[in-house]
Amino acid sequence: MKRPESALFGTNVYESALYSNLQSTVGVLRTIARWTIMMIPAQIFRLIHINGLLWQATNKSLLAKLRKKTGYTFANCKKALELHENDITKAEAWLKEQAQQYGWTQAAKLKGRNTGQGLITMTVDGRHAVLAEINCETDFVARNKKFHCLAETVISTVLNHVRSQEIQNEIQRTVFHADSLKVLTAMDGKLLSDHSALTIGNVGENISLKRALVISVQSPDVRLFGCTHPAPMNPIPVSFGKYGALVAIKCKENDEMLGTRLCQHIIGMDPQKIGNPRVDEPHNNMDEEQCMIYQEFLLDPSLSVQQLLAEAQAEIVDFARFEIGEEVDEEPTLKNAQTCG
């Protein structure tokens, strides 16, 4: 039986509509596919970009932290982090190792250069008072923070060394010449010669550890005082200057002002000995007087030092004075610190 024309016509209309819808669906799918293809690379790009920014931020943070901690250059810190895959502990150790090697290389190159400038550093700690002289080439480096750090390391190392020794006399002096200073071990386990070489590499000048002196006392009635000149803004616990003085005074009371003023007198008047009134006589020319007790007191010329001490019921039992660049008697063959009563 034949289909009616209407049925055939209806079938054609249905198929046409279906085909049309299919085309629309395919078009939509193609559009979605195109957008998907376009969106995936953009998302990947944004992901890579964001990750890159995070990586850069992390690296910059580590770099800034390493630079602040070590003080080394941007390029060196970056190289250290790259070599050790951003392990900041290993990077820091590598930087210090490289700096130490470079310091010894520089020290060898600059060894013959004159070191006429520097610092006298002083500290007083209970029964021990210390003076040390560290030299460099220029006054500019003498004011450098890294040079100051070296001076602090030297004097603290000397102080720790004498603390470990027994005081055998009521008043005891321990003298360190250049050779004996270099072989002392600092708190970090390094020799002072290593610390000196490291600072040479940092500041680019020759540095020499010239000398140190410690006055140690047994009796609680003997008190130690010290100062440097020019007087620093913050002299505690270590003081720096071009001149330094220590004095040991036997007195009943701890007279800080008397001790400081006597140190200032020692720096300004440069006495060669304390003087003994039973043995020494005053010099005919007051300007050439070398016995401290007969000198005019620097801060009050109307008094002699002897009169000042009599008023304070005090006695000077020892003193020391350092001046940057002054000639000193040194024993080049001395291996250890020299101790005397």
Side-chain angles (χ1 to χ4, degrees):
M1 182 177 181
K2 286 186 177 181
R3 286 185 182 180
E5 287 297 323
S6 59
L8 288 172
F9 179 78
T11 301
N12 291 335
V13 169
Y14 172 77
E15 289 177 352
S16 297
L18 184 61
Y19 179 75
S20 177
N21 288 337
L22 184 60
Q23 281 186 320
S24 298
T25 302
V26 171
V28 171
L29 290 173
R30 284 176 177 171
T31 302
I32 292 172
R34 281 198 301 268
W35 277 103
T36 303
I37 291 168
M38 292 174 63
M39 289 296 292
I40 288 174
Q43 290 173 348
I44 292 173
F45 175 77
R46 281 198 296 271
L47 183 62
I48 292 171
H49 181 65
I50 291 169
N51 286 341
L53 290 175
L54 290 172
W55 183 83
Q56 289 179 8
T58 303
N59 270 16
K60 285 181 179 178
S61 175
L62 286 173
L63 187 57
K65 185 177 179 181
L66 188 59
R67 286 196 70 193
K68 184 177 181 180
K69 191 173 183 180
T70 63
Y72 296 120
T73 64
F74 174 87
N76 286 335
C77 289
K78 184 179 179 183
K79 183 178 180 181
L81 287 170
E82 288 173 352
L83 287 173
H84 297 90
E85 298 178 346
N86 288 340
D87 187 321
I88 195 166
T89 304
K90 291 181 179 178
E92 182 183 354
W94 181 83
L95 282 169
K96 289 181 178 179
E97 182 182 345
Q98 295 299 308
Q100 187 67 71
Q101 291 177 3
Y102 177 73
W104 276 114
T105 302
Q106 288 296 97
K109 289 181 180 178
L110 304 177
K111 187 176 180 180
R113 284 161 54 164
N114 182 51
T115 54
Q117 297 295 323
L119 286 174
I120 302 297
T121 180
M122 181 280 304
T123 191
V124 176
D125 182 72
R127 297 189 302 163
H128 306 284
V130 188
L131 282 175
E133 180 178 357
I134 301 95
N135 298 121
C136 57
E137 296 179 42
T138 65
D139 188 57
F140 176 77
V141 165
R143 298 193 300 269
N144 185 284
K145 185 177 179 181
K146 291 179 179 178
F147 188 76
H148 282 211
C149 288
L150 173 64
E152 287 187 25
T153 300
V154 170
I155 202 165
S156 63
T157 301
V158 171
L159 182 60
N160 288 332
H161 177 79
V162 294
R163 280 175 179 164
S164 66
Q165 309 296 312
E166 183 182 355
I167 302 175
Q168 299 175 350
N169 304 290
E170 183 179 353
I171 303 293
Q172 181 170 296
R173 281 186 168 217
T174 307
V175 180
F176 298 84
H177 295 298
D179 290 339
S180 54
L181 272 179
K182 291 175 185 177
V183 297
L184 290 181
T185 304
M187 291 292 290
D188 62 359
K190 289 184 177 181
L191 299 178
L192 286 184
S193 56
D194 288 327
H195 281 277
S196 177
L198 186 62
T199 308
I200 290 172
N202 286 329
V203 302
E205 282 192 9
N206 191 20
I207 291 172
S208 58
L209 311 180
K210 187 173 183 179
R211 55 176 170 158
L213 179 144
V214 185
I215 298 178
S216 304
V217 298
Q218 278 185 336
S219 172
D221 293 333
V222 179
R223 294 177 170 86
L224 294 167
F225 303 94
C227 77
T228 57
H229 178 79
M233 296 295 293
N234 183 18
I236 299 173
V238 176
S239 178
F240 304 109
K242 297 296 182 183
Y243 304 84
L246 302 176
V247 65
I249 305 173
K250 183 178 287 187
C251 53
K252 295 180 180 179
E253 297 182 359
N254 186 13
D255 193 338
E256 187 79 32
M257 183 176 291
L258 175 64
T260 301
R261 294 173 76 192
L262 284 171
C263 285
Q264 291 170 339
H265 175 91
I266 292 165
I267 289 173
M269 299 298 287
D270 191 18
Q272 300 303 301
K273 60 181 180 177
I274 299 170
N276 186 337
R278 293 190 296 272
V279 177
D280 300 304
E281 294 184 359
H283 198 282
N284 294 329
N285 185 348
M286 184 61 71
D287 293 335
E288 297 181 7
E289 183 60 70
Q290 295 187 338
C291 290
M292 193 192 313
I293 59 172
Y294 296 135
Q295 289 179 332
E296 291 180 348
F297 181 49
L298 181 67
L299 303 181
D300 185 359
S302 66
L303 292 174
S304 68
V305 173
Q306 187 177 31
Q307 291 170 324
L308 177 72
L309 293 170
E311 289 181 4
Q313 297 183 332
E315 177 190 356
I316 298 173
V317 293
D318 200 4
F319 76 96
R321 180 185 184 276
F322 275 14
E323 178 180 344
I324 278 291
E326 66 184 343
E327 294 293 329
V328 294
D329 294 330
E330 184 169 341
E331 299 177 32
T333 60
L334 189 65
K335 298 295 182 183
N336 301 307
Q338 180 179 342
T339 304
C340 57

